[in-house]
Amino acid sequence: MHQVFRVQDAPVAGLQGASVEAVMENVNRVASSEQCRIENRFKEIIGSSPEMESVLADVQRVAPTDSSVLVLGETGTGKELIARAIHNISPRCGRPFIKLNCAAIPFDLLESELFGHEKGAFTGAFAQKMGRFEMADTGTLFLDEIGDIPLALQPKLLRVLQEQEFERLGSGRTHRINIRLVAATHRDLAEMVKRTEFRSDLYYRLNVFPIMLPPLRERRQDIPQLVSHFVGLFAWRVGKHINHIPKEMLDAFTSYSWPGNVRELQNLIERAVILSNNGVLPNPLPKSDKNVATNPLSVSDKNPATVTPSQGTFDGSARALIVQALHAAGWIIGGPGGAAAQLGLKRTTLIAKMKKLGISRPAPKHDTNGFRRNQPVVATNSSIGLPTMRQPMSTQLPRSIE
């Protein structure tokens, strides 16, 4: 990732009449200083994978503007860190960075939190209060979980974004502000618009520059770097010295699916540091998850799924996890108890991954009339060595794949 730097951006005072080499040396010095400044403001974002490099490149592109940014990603992927990074390298750096989690505020209080109120505006309003928009004036307002804002409040939010003006509750006076909005959500706002759960005009106003954060399972090469960072952080907090992280633990972490993303990794590392003895970090993953992570072929060996040959450690691990979830869900993909929900994926995403990895449902057994039979319980007749049926077989039409 490279910061674009133009020669005309370099200070030229005192360089008139200097040699070309002296001018270029000054340009390179200023460019290097600018790059260090940006990297220091990204220091809280850990990861050097291509996926994260692409995200940070988008951050650098949009930060100098005043355009609205919509940060999308699963829970625990670090959306607030990206919002803060946008603010830190923008011209508004040094001015207020105000944040509000829309899902954490009751509906009755959310309007007051956003826009403020006058004394006596409603029961319990004993004093005047500034809202978050007013507090963020000249700076950046970060609205987390924007998808949880009620429909009734969305027109007022749209107006303040378009006109940069609002009224406090209980007041007729219009306040003008100058803010930059960064919003974030783990929800699919486009689908919510189709279901009329989110206003389309507000969605288009928010979605000027979307940034999609990859889940941790899609940037596994960052896991060792994240582990090292969190081990150092929590070891310092609890006063322990960790001098060895077993390779088996890192392998298990790299193979794990991380449904809770970086937040889950952070919490597990904190637990491991607390449990550590003699400077060795233990593996905090539950036993069942260790088995899946360290033996990715064990699931497919025990279950009769149609699987193509493994294409390496990552594909093999992903295939095994998907097959295990499918068998646990009875090969039901969608719905609350389906495999997609168990893996923390969308139904369409899981179907696409199954196609990519060559996973298909085992072919059902059919009789001569084309009907599938229930599989009977078979016992061996010890006297003649032939199988006998303990229960009669019945026929039923083939089930459609969920």
Side-chain angles (χ1 to χ4, degrees):
M1 181 177 61
H2 301 285
Q3 168 71 10
V4 176
F5 188 83
R6 302 169 299 175
V7 173
Q8 58 266 35
D9 291 335
V12 295
L15 292 178
Q16 286 80 0
S19 66
V20 173
E21 291 79 6
V23 172
M24 292 310 300
E25 181 180 354
N26 184 70
V27 169
N28 292 333
R29 177 181 56 80
V30 174
S32 177
S33 174
E34 178 69 10
Q35 184 66 26
C36 290
R37 180 183 69 84
I38 291 174
E39 289 177 356
N40 286 338
R41 290 177 180 177
F42 282 160
K43 63 183 179 181
E44 293 182 344
I45 302 174
I46 309 299
S48 56
S49 63
E51 293 81 3
M52 284 307 298
E53 290 288 341
S54 176
V55 168
L56 296 182
D58 284 342
V59 169
Q60 284 190 234
R61 289 188 191 99
V62 75
T65 73
D66 280 333
S67 299
S68 298
V69 180
L70 180 61
V71 185
L72 303 167
E74 297 178 8
T75 298
T77 50
K79 295 186 286 293
E80 183 178 338
L81 289 178
I82 295 299
R84 192 176 291 277
I86 292 171
H87 174 75
N88 286 342
I89 64 172
S90 75
R92 296 175 184 265
C93 179
R95 296 180 181 178
F97 177 81
I98 305 298
K99 58 184 180 180
L100 177 67
N101 188 322
C102 301
I105 308 296
F107 169 67
D108 294 340
L109 300 178
L110 185 56
E111 185 175 7
S112 173
E113 285 292 328
L114 287 171
F115 306 108
H117 63 253
E118 298 291 342
K119 180 179 179 181
F122 52 85
T123 303
F126 299 115
Q128 185 188 76
K129 177 182 177 179
M130 289 177 60
R132 302 301 173 101
F133 276 102
E134 197 170 352
M135 293 166 62
D137 191 21
T138 72
T140 302
L141 176 62
F142 173 55
L143 295 182
D144 199 5
E145 300 301 347
I146 192 77
D148 289 85
I149 286 189
L151 270 171
L153 195 54
Q154 291 178 20
K156 192 168 184 178
L157 176 60
L158 177 63
R159 182 203 168 203
V160 72
L161 294 181
Q162 290 180 333
E163 307 297 336
Q164 295 275 296
E165 62 182 28
F166 69 96
E167 292 81 33
R168 292 178 185 162
L169 289 177
S171 171
R173 178 190 170 193
T174 299
H175 294 263
R176 293 200 61 82
I177 54 172
N178 174 19
I179 66 149
R180 199 262 185 85
L181 181 77
V182 180
T185 183
H186 71 282
R187 299 180 180 272
D188 188 339
L189 294 186
E191 286 297 322
M192 292 180 67
V193 169
K194 293 178 182 178
R195 299 193 300 264
T196 66
E197 296 174 359
F198 200 86
R199 289 180 62 103
S200 59
D201 46 6
L202 178 58
Y203 170 65
Y204 300 136
R205 186 65 184 82
L206 294 171
N207 198 38
V208 174
F209 194 91
I211 296 179
M212 174 62 74
L213 286 185
L216 186 55
R217 61 183 173 274
E218 293 182 6
R219 56 182 187 106
R220 294 176 185 270
Q221 70 184 75
D222 290 335
I223 291 177
Q225 193 175 353
L226 287 163
V227 169
S228 177
H229 169 76
F230 288 129
V231 166
L233 175 65
F234 293 118
W236 175 80
R237 285 186 182 179
V238 302
K240 287 191 173 185
H241 181 68
I242 305 295
N243 51 33
H244 180 61
I245 301 175
K247 182 179 181 301
E248 295 78 9
M249 173 187 163
L250 282 179
D251 290 343
F253 270 40
T254 304
S255 301
Y256 182 53
S257 61
W258 297 110
N261 294 295
V262 179
R263 183 179 292 121
E264 181 184 7
L265 172 65
Q266 177 181 349
N267 293 337
L268 282 177
I269 292 297
E270 183 176 7
R271 181 194 307 170
V273 170
I274 294 172
L275 295 173
S276 64
N277 293 309
N278 303 319
V280 178
L281 196 71
N283 189 346
L285 284 172
K287 186 174 181 180
S288 59
D289 294 327
K290 292 180 191 176
N291 292 338
V292 171
T294 58
N295 189 11
L297 297 180
S298 60
V299 175
S300 58
D301 287 343
K302 295 178 183 178
N303 296 295
T306 304
V307 181
T308 59
S310 175
Q311 299 173 355
T313 303
F314 173 70
D315 280 358
S317 301
R319 183 183 295 108
L321 290 171
I322 291 174
V323 170
Q324 182 193 39
L326 287 167
H327 278 281
W331 286 88
I332 296 175
I333 296 176
Q342 294 183 27
L343 294 169
L345 299 173
K346 297 179 185 176
R347 180 177 176 273
T348 52
T349 302
L350 177 55
I351 292 174
K353 289 182 180 294
M354 289 172 63
K355 290 180 180 178
K356 178 182 176 182
L357 297 172
I359 300 174
S360 61
R361 185 172 185 169
K365 295 182 180 180
H366 295 78
D367 62 11
T368 56
N369 294 323
F371 292 96
R372 187 179 63 189
R373 299 177 181 273
N374 289 336
Q375 294 184 5
V377 179
V378 180
T380 301
N381 188 325
S382 58
S383 61
I384 60 175
L386 297 175
T388 59
M389 301 300 175
R390 291 183 182 172
Q391 64 182 32
M393 294 187 295
S394 61
T395 59
Q396 61 179 14
L397 289 172
R399 293 182 302 168
S400 60
I401 296 178
E402 295 291 334

PDB file of all heavy atoms in Angstrom, residues 44 71 77-86 97 99 142 144 182 184 213 263:
ATOM      1  N   GLU A  44      -3.310   0.733  15.221  1.00  0.00           N
ATOM      2  CA  GLU A  44      -4.255  -0.114  15.943  1.00  0.00           C
ATOM      3  C   GLU A  44      -4.845  -1.206  15.055  1.00  0.00           C
ATOM      4  O   GLU A  44      -5.495  -2.118  15.553  1.00  0.00           O
ATOM      5  CB  GLU A  44      -5.389   0.736  16.525  1.00  0.00           C
ATOM      6  CG  GLU A  44      -4.953   1.685  17.620  1.00  0.00           C
ATOM      7  CD  GLU A  44      -6.108   2.469  18.202  1.00  0.00           C
ATOM      8  OE1 GLU A  44      -7.179   2.494  17.555  1.00  0.00           O
ATOM      9  OE2 GLU A  44      -5.958   3.043  19.286  1.00  0.00           O
ATOM     10  N   VAL A  71     -19.338   1.368   6.518  1.00  0.00           N
ATOM     11  CA  VAL A  71     -18.443   0.255   6.815  1.00  0.00           C
ATOM     12  C   VAL A  71     -19.293  -0.987   7.062  1.00  0.00           C
ATOM     13  O   VAL A  71     -20.129  -0.999   7.973  1.00  0.00           O
ATOM     14  CB  VAL A  71     -17.555   0.553   8.038  1.00  0.00           C
ATOM     15  CG1 VAL A  71     -16.539  -0.569   8.241  1.00  0.00           C
ATOM     16  CG2 VAL A  71     -16.839   1.884   7.867  1.00  0.00           C
ATOM     17  N   THR A  77     -15.378  -7.628  13.457  1.00  0.00           N
ATOM     18  CA  THR A  77     -14.339  -7.475  12.436  1.00  0.00           C
ATOM     19  C   THR A  77     -13.539  -6.184  12.582  1.00  0.00           C
ATOM     20  O   THR A  77     -12.536  -6.003  11.882  1.00  0.00           O
ATOM     21  CB  THR A  77     -14.948  -7.531  11.024  1.00  0.00           C
ATOM     22  OG1 THR A  77     -16.061  -6.626  10.947  1.00  0.00           O
ATOM     23  CG2 THR A  77     -15.425  -8.937  10.695  1.00  0.00           C
ATOM     24  N   GLY A  78     -13.953  -5.269  13.466  1.00  0.00           N
ATOM     25  CA  GLY A  78     -13.189  -4.044  13.692  1.00  0.00           C
ATOM     26  C   GLY A  78     -13.700  -2.833  12.945  1.00  0.00           C
ATOM     27  O   GLY A  78     -12.915  -1.994  12.491  1.00  0.00           O
ATOM     28  N   LYS A  79     -15.017  -2.702  12.842  1.00  0.00           N
ATOM     29  CA  LYS A  79     -15.583  -1.590  12.077  1.00  0.00           C
ATOM     30  C   LYS A  79     -15.285  -0.236  12.729  1.00  0.00           C
ATOM     31  O   LYS A  79     -15.044   0.748  12.029  1.00  0.00           O
ATOM     32  CB  LYS A  79     -17.096  -1.807  11.913  1.00  0.00           C
ATOM     33  CG  LYS A  79     -17.450  -3.028  11.083  1.00  0.00           C
ATOM     34  CD  LYS A  79     -18.926  -3.152  10.808  1.00  0.00           C
ATOM     35  CE  LYS A  79     -19.701  -3.612  12.030  1.00  0.00           C
ATOM     36  NZ  LYS A  79     -19.369  -4.993  12.432  1.00  0.00           N
ATOM     37  N   GLU A  80     -15.292  -0.189  14.060  1.00  0.00           N
ATOM     38  CA  GLU A  80     -15.006   1.086  14.729  1.00  0.00           C
ATOM     39  C   GLU A  80     -13.554   1.523  14.501  1.00  0.00           C
ATOM     40  O   GLU A  80     -13.275   2.716  14.353  1.00  0.00           O
ATOM     41  CB  GLU A  80     -15.287   0.985  16.230  1.00  0.00           C
ATOM     42  CG  GLU A  80     -15.063   2.300  16.959  1.00  0.00           C
ATOM     43  CD  GLU A  80     -15.382   2.245  18.438  1.00  0.00           C
ATOM     44  OE1 GLU A  80     -16.163   1.356  18.848  1.00  0.00           O
ATOM     45  OE2 GLU A  80     -14.848   3.090  19.184  1.00  0.00           O
ATOM     46  N   LEU A  81     -12.623   0.572  14.456  1.00  0.00           N
ATOM     47  CA  LEU A  81     -11.225   0.916  14.197  1.00  0.00           C
ATOM     48  C   LEU A  81     -11.068   1.556  12.812  1.00  0.00           C
ATOM     49  O   LEU A  81     -10.287   2.494  12.637  1.00  0.00           O
ATOM     50  CB  LEU A  81     -10.349  -0.328  14.298  1.00  0.00           C
ATOM     51  CG  LEU A  81     -10.131  -0.907  15.703  1.00  0.00           C
ATOM     52  CD1 LEU A  81      -9.278  -2.162  15.617  1.00  0.00           C
ATOM     53  CD2 LEU A  81      -9.469   0.121  16.615  1.00  0.00           C
ATOM     54  N   ILE A  82     -11.803   1.027  11.838  1.00  0.00           N
ATOM     55  CA  ILE A  82     -11.743   1.601  10.492  1.00  0.00           C
ATOM     56  C   ILE A  82     -12.328   3.010  10.494  1.00  0.00           C
ATOM     57  O   ILE A  82     -11.778   3.930   9.869  1.00  0.00           O
ATOM     58  CB  ILE A  82     -12.484   0.701   9.492  1.00  0.00           C
ATOM     59  CG1 ILE A  82     -11.773  -0.647   9.366  1.00  0.00           C
ATOM     60  CG2 ILE A  82     -12.602   1.378   8.139  1.00  0.00           C
ATOM     61  CD1 ILE A  82     -10.353  -0.543   8.851  1.00  0.00           C
ATOM     62  N   ALA A  83     -13.438   3.207  11.196  1.00  0.00           N
ATOM     63  CA  ALA A  83     -14.047   4.537  11.279  1.00  0.00           C
ATOM     64  C   ALA A  83     -13.089   5.536  11.924  1.00  0.00           C
ATOM     65  O   ALA A  83     -12.939   6.678  11.458  1.00  0.00           O
ATOM     66  CB  ALA A  83     -15.355   4.466  12.069  1.00  0.00           C
ATOM     67  N   ARG A  84     -12.409   5.097  12.971  1.00  0.00           N
ATOM     68  CA  ARG A  84     -11.457   5.996  13.647  1.00  0.00           C
ATOM     69  C   ARG A  84     -10.246   6.296  12.751  1.00  0.00           C
ATOM     70  O   ARG A  84      -9.717   7.412  12.748  1.00  0.00           O
ATOM     71  CB  ARG A  84     -11.011   5.377  14.969  1.00  0.00           C
ATOM     72  CG  ARG A  84     -10.264   6.339  15.874  1.00  0.00           C
ATOM     73  CD  ARG A  84      -9.950   5.681  17.201  1.00  0.00           C
ATOM     74  NE  ARG A  84     -11.145   5.468  17.984  1.00  0.00           N
ATOM     75  CZ  ARG A  84     -11.712   6.392  18.757  1.00  0.00           C
ATOM     76  NH1 ARG A  84     -11.190   7.612  18.815  1.00  0.00           N
ATOM     77  NH2 ARG A  84     -12.789   6.116  19.455  1.00  0.00           N
ATOM     78  N   ALA A  85      -9.819   5.283  11.976  1.00  0.00           N
ATOM     79  CA  ALA A  85      -8.699   5.503  11.058  1.00  0.00           C
ATOM     80  C   ALA A  85      -9.060   6.526   9.991  1.00  0.00           C
ATOM     81  O   ALA A  85      -8.227   7.367   9.612  1.00  0.00           O
ATOM     82  CB  ALA A  85      -8.283   4.181  10.415  1.00  0.00           C
ATOM     83  N   ILE A  86     -10.295   6.453   9.484  1.00  0.00           N
ATOM     84  CA  ILE A  86     -10.753   7.438   8.499  1.00  0.00           C
ATOM     85  C   ILE A  86     -10.666   8.848   9.090  1.00  0.00           C
ATOM     86  O   ILE A  86     -10.198   9.790   8.443  1.00  0.00           O
ATOM     87  CB  ILE A  86     -12.186   7.119   8.043  1.00  0.00           C
ATOM     88  CG1 ILE A  86     -12.206   5.820   7.231  1.00  0.00           C
ATOM     89  CG2 ILE A  86     -12.772   8.268   7.228  1.00  0.00           C
ATOM     90  CD1 ILE A  86     -13.599   5.305   6.924  1.00  0.00           C
ATOM     91  N   PHE A  97     -14.368  13.309  17.484  1.00  0.00           N
ATOM     92  CA  PHE A  97     -14.794  12.021  16.928  1.00  0.00           C
ATOM     93  C   PHE A  97     -15.830  11.468  17.902  1.00  0.00           C
ATOM     94  O   PHE A  97     -15.504  10.997  18.988  1.00  0.00           O
ATOM     95  CB  PHE A  97     -13.621  11.056  16.783  1.00  0.00           C
ATOM     96  CG  PHE A  97     -14.017   9.690  16.269  1.00  0.00           C
ATOM     97  CD1 PHE A  97     -14.220   9.472  14.905  1.00  0.00           C
ATOM     98  CD2 PHE A  97     -14.210   8.626  17.143  1.00  0.00           C
ATOM     99  CE1 PHE A  97     -14.593   8.222  14.432  1.00  0.00           C
ATOM    100  CE2 PHE A  97     -14.575   7.376  16.674  1.00  0.00           C
ATOM    101  CZ  PHE A  97     -14.770   7.173  15.323  1.00  0.00           C
ATOM    102  N   LYS A  99     -19.062   8.949  18.757  1.00  0.00           N
ATOM    103  CA  LYS A  99     -19.622   7.665  18.335  1.00  0.00           C
ATOM    104  C   LYS A  99     -20.885   7.345  19.116  1.00  0.00           C
ATOM    105  O   LYS A  99     -21.070   7.778  20.255  1.00  0.00           O
ATOM    106  CB  LYS A  99     -18.599   6.545  18.514  1.00  0.00           C
ATOM    107  CG  LYS A  99     -18.089   6.388  19.929  1.00  0.00           C
ATOM    108  CD  LYS A  99     -17.003   5.324  20.009  1.00  0.00           C
ATOM    109  CE  LYS A  99     -16.496   5.166  21.438  1.00  0.00           C
ATOM    110  NZ  LYS A  99     -15.447   4.135  21.542  1.00  0.00           N
ATOM    111  N   PHE A 142     -19.666   8.873  14.188  1.00  0.00           N
ATOM    112  CA  PHE A 142     -19.686   7.452  13.842  1.00  0.00           C
ATOM    113  C   PHE A 142     -20.935   6.820  14.432  1.00  0.00           C
ATOM    114  O   PHE A 142     -21.093   6.762  15.651  1.00  0.00           O
ATOM    115  CB  PHE A 142     -18.438   6.754  14.376  1.00  0.00           C
ATOM    116  CG  PHE A 142     -18.458   5.258  14.205  1.00  0.00           C
ATOM    117  CD1 PHE A 142     -18.664   4.685  12.950  1.00  0.00           C
ATOM    118  CD2 PHE A 142     -18.258   4.411  15.289  1.00  0.00           C
ATOM    119  CE1 PHE A 142     -18.691   3.303  12.790  1.00  0.00           C
ATOM    120  CE2 PHE A 142     -18.273   3.041  15.143  1.00  0.00           C
ATOM    121  CZ  PHE A 142     -18.491   2.479  13.885  1.00  0.00           C
ATOM    122  N   ASP A 144     -22.686   3.462  14.797  1.00  0.00           N
ATOM    123  CA  ASP A 144     -22.543   2.008  14.690  1.00  0.00           C
ATOM    124  C   ASP A 144     -23.924   1.361  14.702  1.00  0.00           C
ATOM    125  O   ASP A 144     -24.860   1.880  15.310  1.00  0.00           O
ATOM    126  CB  ASP A 144     -21.700   1.485  15.853  1.00  0.00           C
ATOM    127  CG  ASP A 144     -21.137   0.104  15.581  1.00  0.00           C
ATOM    128  OD1 ASP A 144     -21.322  -0.400  14.462  1.00  0.00           O
ATOM    129  OD2 ASP A 144     -20.504  -0.471  16.485  1.00  0.00           O
ATOM    130  N   VAL A 182     -19.698   8.654   9.344  1.00  0.00           N
ATOM    131  CA  VAL A 182     -19.267   7.283   9.049  1.00  0.00           C
ATOM    132  C   VAL A 182     -20.247   6.362   9.760  1.00  0.00           C
ATOM    133  O   VAL A 182     -20.464   6.489  10.967  1.00  0.00           O
ATOM    134  CB  VAL A 182     -17.832   7.011   9.540  1.00  0.00           C
ATOM    135  CG1 VAL A 182     -17.431   5.575   9.216  1.00  0.00           C
ATOM    136  CG2 VAL A 182     -16.852   7.990   8.911  1.00  0.00           C
ATOM    137  N   ALA A 184     -21.836   2.219  10.242  1.00  0.00           N
ATOM    138  CA  ALA A 184     -21.411   0.823  10.166  1.00  0.00           C
ATOM    139  C   ALA A 184     -22.579  -0.085  10.521  1.00  0.00           C
ATOM    140  O   ALA A 184     -23.482   0.298  11.277  1.00  0.00           O
ATOM    141  CB  ALA A 184     -20.237   0.563  11.113  1.00  0.00           C
ATOM    142  N   LEU A 213     -15.405  -5.041   5.243  1.00  0.00           N
ATOM    143  CA  LEU A 213     -14.357  -5.667   6.044  1.00  0.00           C
ATOM    144  C   LEU A 213     -14.448  -7.186   5.918  1.00  0.00           C
ATOM    145  O   LEU A 213     -15.516  -7.765   6.127  1.00  0.00           O
ATOM    146  CB  LEU A 213     -14.496  -5.273   7.512  1.00  0.00           C
ATOM    147  CG  LEU A 213     -14.078  -3.848   7.877  1.00  0.00           C
ATOM    148  CD1 LEU A 213     -14.167  -3.662   9.386  1.00  0.00           C
ATOM    149  CD2 LEU A 213     -12.689  -3.551   7.394  1.00  0.00           C
ATOM    150  N   ARG A 263     -12.840 -10.246  17.565  1.00  0.00           N
ATOM    151  CA  ARG A 263     -13.263 -10.119  18.955  1.00  0.00           C
ATOM    152  C   ARG A 263     -13.192 -11.467  19.672  1.00  0.00           C
ATOM    153  O   ARG A 263     -12.754 -11.546  20.826  1.00  0.00           O
ATOM    154  CB  ARG A 263     -14.689  -9.558  19.025  1.00  0.00           C
ATOM    155  CG  ARG A 263     -15.166  -9.333  20.466  1.00  0.00           C
ATOM    156  CD  ARG A 263     -16.565  -8.769  20.514  1.00  0.00           C
ATOM    157  NE  ARG A 263     -16.612  -7.403  19.990  1.00  0.00           N
ATOM    158  CZ  ARG A 263     -17.356  -7.036  18.971  1.00  0.00           C
ATOM    159  NH1 ARG A 263     -18.105  -7.916  18.337  1.00  0.00           N
ATOM    160  NH2 ARG A 263     -17.352  -5.787  18.561  1.00  0.00           N
TER     161      ARG A 263
END
